[in-house]
Amino acid sequence: QVQLEESGGGLVQAGGSLRLSCAANGRTFTSYAIAWLRQAPGKEREFVAWISLSGGSTNYADSVKGRFTISRDNAKNTVYLQMNSLKPDDTAVYYCAAAPTIRTILSGSWGRGTQVTVSS
């Protein structure tokens, strides 16, 4: 299985931007679809965005559409989540996950998460 490590989280004011990175080890990175999910305290885990193996297809939760952009650099084994126009409601631990298909992402490989805090 691929191992994932998130980075790039932090504290930002509302309206600001952050870019999260999800770095993967292994030589089979291009065999995995990658998703970003988040979980806020007291709330259920929420899907944020996913990207296909080649990067040709992406999908976003309605709550982040138009503000967040997912991309991948297969040469660097890294997936990014560019987050703009951040809101306090975006505060959560953000996780990246990998699986051969997006339908199996919840049972795939997960990173440990990175905290994003948006102040009002």
Side-chain angles (χ1 to χ4, degrees):
Q1 281 189 335
V2 65
Q3 292 184 324
L4 306 173
E5 182 174 4
E6 303 92 339
S7 62
L11 173 65
V12 64
Q13 288 188 332
S17 298
L18 284 173
R19 188 176 80 157
L20 305 183
S21 299
C22 173
N25 68 2
R27 293 174 290 179
T28 59
F29 181 68
T30 55
S31 299
Y32 294 91
I34 306 292
W36 284 98
L37 302 96
R38 66 187 182 186
Q39 188 163 21
K43 295 186 178 181
E44 292 189 354
R45 185 173 48 197
E46 174 187 23
F47 162 80
V48 176
W50 71 262
I51 189 166
S52 63
L53 279 65
S54 66
S57 296
T58 58
N59 196 20
Y60 299 90
D62 288 342
S63 59
V64 307
K65 201 170 291 184
R67 300 188 297 122
F68 291 10
T69 302
I70 190 171
S71 62
R72 67 190 295 163
D73 184 339
N74 286 340
K76 296 182 177 180
N77 283 8
T78 302
V79 169
Y80 304 98
L81 185 68
Q82 178 66 44
M83 305 186 297
N84 298 329
S85 302
L86 283 162
K87 305 174 182 180
D89 284 349
D90 295 318
T91 296
V93 177
Y94 284 69
Y95 301 90
C96 62
T101 70
I102 193 60
R103 287 172 293 186
T104 58
I105 202 72
L106 294 182
S107 59
S109 300
W110 287 67
R112 294 184 176 183
T114 186
Q115 176 71 47
V116 171
T117 303
V118 184
S119 63
S120 56

